[in-house]
């Protein structure tokens, strides 16, 4: 049992949340949860600020509720002696009690009672909630935000839950760090196996000249090579986990960067049709513009599992993961070490923000390269 010995803990949490929370019951009613008891058995409370009138909230809440419910099923023993020290609490910004009841009825986790409007206002002010949906982790022992939880999740609890589902819970630093360590191990194993994997890469006729083109030559057949051959041929590979939005100008920026960097086989992007963009995806149009791992390859469970492990929980939408084909086996002064002779991830560019802003000058778009380009731009402005 997570047991906080400081007698003031119950008062701290009661002062913060009031005396009770409510939880939905199978009969359509509510049961009451003692906040003082939570203070004795929980270490972390995650407050979910949300409302039914908010479209992003309505989009995220089903994912959050389903993930929490699956997590609870896996921890179905309600004995406090077997407690994990974590709870999720809905804090409503709904405009009336009926809207609150209908919205909360679809949630698998407890809520601050709607009539506790004064407490809700104080919570919003205390944690500077200016927009919703918002998740705030609170240290039960202090009643203050536990920033270590958000930091461990990469700065965004909402995205962390969307990417990991029930596995994201409990939202505690120790669990998140353990989970990330497991993901890193899976990623390392998957990268090591890429060279010998049977994953096939299609090369459209437009790329046989060595430079990427927008010309559609779909009447000609694509050639196929093994992914391992690309690792042998190119120093860096950009795995583009794409969403099929052929109108997105980001894909043109990838092409431009590839054409600049393609001399001496420095860099090649490989398109992976990973997600769907608003139900209007056209991955085939992008297959004609890039080396690609096509749909027939991704239906293979082993291939998809390997790429999922390489992505390491990323790839929720458009992103490029730049891989160095052969690690140096050396350690940098920052303490980060590369494996020797096997692929290593050097950068993850979510939404292609770094590429879009800094172009090929910031290759391979890791923190050091991006910082260097920023400093050069700043010096030019000063002079």
């Amino acid at each position: 049992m997570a047991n906080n010995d400081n007698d003031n803990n119950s008062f701290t949490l009661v002062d913060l949340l009031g005396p009770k929370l409510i939880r939905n019951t199978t009969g359509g009613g509510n049961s009451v949860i003692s906040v003082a008891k939570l203070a004795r058995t929980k270490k972390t409370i995650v407050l979910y600020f949300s409302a039914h009138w908010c479209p992003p909230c309505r989009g995220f809440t089903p994912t959050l509720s389903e993930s929490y419910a699956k997590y609870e099923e896996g921890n179905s023993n309600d004995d406090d002696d077997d407690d994990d020290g974590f709870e999720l609490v809905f804090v409503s910004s709904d405009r009336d009690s009926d809207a609150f009841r209908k919205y909360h009825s679809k949630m698998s986790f407890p809520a601050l009672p709607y009539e506790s409007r004064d407490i809700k206002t104080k919570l919003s002010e205390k944690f500077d909630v200016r927009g919703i949906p918002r998740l705030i982790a609170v240290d039960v022992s202090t009643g203050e935000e536990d920033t270590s939880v958000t930091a461990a999740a990469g700065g965004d609890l909402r995205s962390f839950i969307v990417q990991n589902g029930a596995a994201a819970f409990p939202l505690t630093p120790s669990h998140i760090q353990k989970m990330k360590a497991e993901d890193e191990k899976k990623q390392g194993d998957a990268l090591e196996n890429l060279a010998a994997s049977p994953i096939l890469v299609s090369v459209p006729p437009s790329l046989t000249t060595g430079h990427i083109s927008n010309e559609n030559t779909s009447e000609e057949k694509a050639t196929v090579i093994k992914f391992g051959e690309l690792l042998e041929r190119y120093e860096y590979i950009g795995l583009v986990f794409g969403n099929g939005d052929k109108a997105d100008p980001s894909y043109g920026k990838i092409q431009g960067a590839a054409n600049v960097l393609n001399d001496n086989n420095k860099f090649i992007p490989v398109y992976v049709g990973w997600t769907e963009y608003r139900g209007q995806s056209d991955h085939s149009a992008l297959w004609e513009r890039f080396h690609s791992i096509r749909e027939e390859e991704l239906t293979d469970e082993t291939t998809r599992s390997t790429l999922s492990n390489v992505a390491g929980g990323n790839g929720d939408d458009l992103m490029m993961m730049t891989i160095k084909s052969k690690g140096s086996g050396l350690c940098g002064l920052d303490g980060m070490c590369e494996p020797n002779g096997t692929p290593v991830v050097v950068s993850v560019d979510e939404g292609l923000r770094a590429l879009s802003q800094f172009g090929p000058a910031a290759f391979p778009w890791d923190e050091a390269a991006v910082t260097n380009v920023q400093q050069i731009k700043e010096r030019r402005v000063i002079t």
Side-chain angles (χ1 to χ4, degrees):
M1 178 175 69
N3 208 347
N4 296 319
D5 295 331
N6 188 338
D7 291 338
N8 290 327
N9 282 344
S10 59
F11 296 103
T12 300
L13 200 60
V14 169
D15 287 343
L16 190 70
L17 299 180
K20 68 178 183 179
L21 303 174
I22 57 173
R23 184 189 289 273
N24 295 315
T25 62
T26 53
N30 296 126
S31 61
V32 174
I33 299 172
S34 165
V35 172
K37 183 178 179 180
L38 281 183
R40 295 192 298 270
T41 61
K42 306 294 181 182
K43 293 180 180 179
T44 303
I45 301 290
V46 175
L47 303 177
Y48 176 48
F49 294 86
S50 182
H52 185 265
W53 54 259
C54 160
C57 299
R58 293 199 304 271
F60 173 60
T61 295
T63 299
L64 178 63
S65 184
E66 181 181 353
S67 299
Y68 179 88
K70 287 182 179 178
Y71 159 71
E72 285 283 282
E73 288 174 10
N75 287 293
S76 57
N77 188 347
D78 291 329
D79 186 350
D80 286 342
D81 289 336
D82 198 33
D83 197 87
D84 55 35
F86 158 81
E87 188 57 273
L88 179 65
V89 177
F90 169 45
V91 181
S92 172
S93 292
D94 287 298
R95 290 168 179 149
D96 56 63
S97 58
D98 285 341
F100 162 78
R101 281 193 293 271
K102 290 176 183 178
Y103 191 35
H104 183 232
S105 69
K106 300 176 182 178
M107 299 181 192
S108 56
F109 42 88
L112 182 74
Y114 187 78
E115 58 267 23
S116 302
R117 293 290 85 193
D118 57 333
I119 296 175
K120 183 269 173 188
T121 299
K122 290 178 182 177
L123 289 172
S124 295
E125 292 175 352
K126 178 179 178 64
F127 298 112
D128 195 25
V129 177
R130 300 184 182 183
I132 54 176
R134 180 89 182 274
L135 290 157
I136 300 286
V138 177
D139 185 335
V140 170
S141 67
T142 64
E144 300 298 327
E145 181 176 2
D146 186 350
T147 56
S148 67
V149 176
T150 306
D156 186 346
L157 289 174
R158 179 179 166 195
S159 295
F160 183 75
I161 293 167
V162 169
Q163 291 169 358
N164 295 286
F169 298 106
L171 289 171
T172 59
S174 59
H175 172 73
I176 295 172
Q177 288 161 4
K178 178 182 177 182
M179 195 176 133
K180 287 198 164 186
E182 292 172 351
D183 285 345
E184 287 173 4
K185 175 66 166 60
K186 290 179 182 177
Q187 184 184 65
D189 291 344
L191 286 167
E192 190 173 343
N193 293 330
L194 271 179
S197 76
I199 297 175
L200 297 178
V201 176
S202 296
V203 185
S206 60
L207 301 190
T208 55
T209 60
H211 278 244
I212 294 179
S213 165
N214 282 315
E215 295 179 11
N216 189 331
T217 53
S218 56
E219 66 277 6
E220 301 179 50
K221 290 186 177 180
T223 56
V224 177
I225 61 174
K226 290 184 178 181
F227 194 90
E229 292 181 50
L230 286 183
L231 289 171
E232 289 294 328
R233 189 177 303 175
Y234 293 92
E235 188 176 351
Y236 291 87
I237 293 175
L239 278 178
V240 182
F241 289 85
N243 56 17
D245 180 15
K246 63 181 180 180
D248 189 330
S250 299
Y251 293 111
K253 292 178 180 179
I254 297 172
Q255 289 178 308
N259 283 335
V260 170
L261 298 165
N262 205 15
D263 291 340
N264 301 317
N265 292 340
K266 185 76 173 177
F267 169 79
I268 191 73
V270 176
Y271 180 81
V272 184
W274 200 245
T275 59
E276 297 292 327
Y277 179 76
R278 298 182 180 178
Q280 300 177 349
S281 298
D282 187 0
H283 294 300
S284 61
L286 293 161
W287 294 341
E288 300 302 328
R289 296 166 63 179
F290 296 98
H291 287 66
S292 60
I293 299 173
R294 298 196 177 186
E295 187 174 5
E296 53 268 30
E297 283 290 299
L298 295 177
T299 57
D300 178 76
E301 186 176 337
T302 301
T303 296
R304 194 164 188 93
S305 176
T306 296
L307 291 171
S308 179
N309 288 335
V310 168
N314 298 292
D316 182 48
D317 200 357
L318 174 62
M319 74 119 180
M320 183 167 67
M321 175 174 280
T322 301
I323 296 172
K324 187 177 182 180
S325 296
K326 293 182 180 180
S328 64
L330 301 175
C331 295
L333 296 178
D334 58 359
M336 300 298 291
C337 302
E338 291 185 359
N340 186 24
T342 58
V344 58
V345 175
V346 295
S347 68
V348 177
D349 190 5
E350 293 279 2
L352 298 180
R353 296 180 186 91
L355 173 62
S356 297
Q357 185 173 357
F358 303 108
F363 173 83
W365 305 288
D366 59 350
E367 185 177 353
V370 168
T371 300
N372 183 55
V373 172
Q374 286 176 319
Q375 290 174 343
I376 292 172
K377 286 188 173 182
E378 288 169 2
R379 286 196 293 268
R380 286 174 180 170
V381 170
I382 293 172
T383 57

